[in-house]
Amino acid sequence: MTSPLRADLIGRLTAAGDPDRATGQQAYMKSTLPFHGVRVPEVRRIAKAVASAHPFADREECTRAVLDIWRRATHREQQYAATEIAFLTPYRKWLDGRALTMIEEMIVTGAWWDHVDALASRHMGTMLGRDPARIRPAMWEWATDDLTRDGALWRRRTAILCQLRFGDETDLELLFHAIEASIDSEEFFLRKAIGWALREYAKVDAETVLGFVAEHRDQMSALSRREALKRVG
């Protein structure tokens, strides 16, 4: 049975869709799911409107709704909307250690940069800042996840990117642990994540980033070094 919230979401996304744009979006994202053809800012607006029209009474109701949309998505923007709903101001308070199972499922089954990067930098970052006692050990473990395990690549990328918004409050021990665990990996998405995370931290402490890159120059890929030093003289 389709819930009123999910039905409303699908109806609004369908109405806002552009079939020509949808074809290009699906090809660009290499997605097995089709697209409605709705731009991301409009998906966010629709997600907010739908959640406002169908408010959640508690954490459990929110989790059920988000996962129902995610798991039963017929188009990729429906999953984008699930991600947005979980991060809306009225429900963001529930992003803590108890949300780890839900967010991990979305990361592992999303298994592509568009889903994972949003979940890592926003949702997991919020959870880490709010509940470090439970989330930090999980990120420490995810950083060294066995790459033969399903979803390990995306767990590792999440561990590297979860502090993108932390600035001078970045936990350098956790950041460097996550980077060093994958520093010699040949996986493009890990190399890119390493450079991105270091580039963001360089905005507040360029000297530390320069030192880290110099120390690990022989291990770090050219892509990671180039990305890390983009904004450093």
Side-chain angles (χ1 to χ4, degrees):
M1 179 182 295
T2 298
S3 70
L5 182 148
R6 181 169 177 267
D8 189 9
L9 174 67
I10 292 172
R12 296 188 194 217
L13 288 172
T14 300
D18 179 338
D20 291 335
R21 182 182 297 121
T23 301
Q25 288 175 313
Q26 185 174 6
Y28 176 71
M29 282 299 174
K30 303 176 182 178
S31 175
T32 55
L33 279 180
F35 279 75
H36 289 288
V38 182
R39 297 183 188 278
V40 171
E42 180 66 6
V43 173
R44 290 175 177 161
R45 189 195 67 76
I46 289 172
K48 184 175 181 180
V50 168
S52 178
H54 308 273
F56 304 122
D58 53 35
R59 175 196 294 267
E60 288 70 28
E61 187 178 348
C62 179
T63 299
R64 283 195 303 272
V66 168
L67 288 178
D68 181 55
I69 295 166
W70 182 273
R71 292 167 178 169
R72 299 172 64 194
T74 59
H75 293 70
R76 202 172 187 90
E77 292 100 329
Q78 294 169 27
Q79 292 184 321
Y80 293 164
T83 300
E84 291 300 324
I85 289 169
F87 200 70
L88 288 173
T89 299
Y91 312 124
R92 200 178 304 170
K93 62 190 175 187
W94 295 323
L95 287 175
D96 55 23
R98 292 173 61 186
L100 182 60
T101 300
M102 176 181 75
I103 300 303
E104 181 177 8
E105 176 180 335
M106 295 166 76
I107 286 168
V108 170
T109 58
W112 200 241
W113 64 265
D114 57 333
H115 289 316
V116 174
D117 294 359
L119 291 162
S121 64
R122 298 196 300 164
H123 300 62
M124 196 64 74
T126 297
M127 291 157 63
L128 177 61
R130 180 172 291 148
D131 195 352
R134 286 190 280 187
I135 300 302
R136 189 180 191 274
M139 294 301 95
W140 193 273
E141 183 177 345
W142 284 20
T144 58
D145 202 1
D146 181 354
L147 284 171
T148 64
R149 183 181 173 217
D150 185 41
L153 167 63
W154 304 108
R155 289 189 192 89
R156 285 196 181 209
R157 185 171 169 96
T158 298
I160 295 168
L161 298 179
C162 65
Q163 297 189 82
L164 281 181
R165 300 175 176 218
F166 279 39
D168 58 7
E169 296 183 357
T170 298
D171 178 345
L172 286 179
E173 183 183 30
L174 175 59
L175 176 62
F176 291 159
H177 166 72
I179 289 174
E180 288 168 354
S182 296
I183 202 165
D184 57 357
S185 173
E186 295 184 359
E187 289 282 357
F188 169 82
F189 288 109
L190 294 179
R191 290 181 169 187
K192 188 79 171 181
I194 288 169
W196 186 9
L198 289 172
R199 185 173 76 244
E200 287 302 302
Y201 187 65
K203 293 177 181 178
V204 296
D205 190 351
E207 291 300 318
T208 293
V209 171
L210 282 167
F212 184 87
V213 171
E215 180 183 352
H216 297 84
R217 186 173 186 84
D218 292 339
Q219 300 167 277
M220 192 179 292
S221 70
L223 172 61
S224 296
R225 292 196 306 270
R226 184 169 62 251
E227 289 293 320
L229 302 179
K230 265 186 177 178
R231 295 194 176 101
V232 178

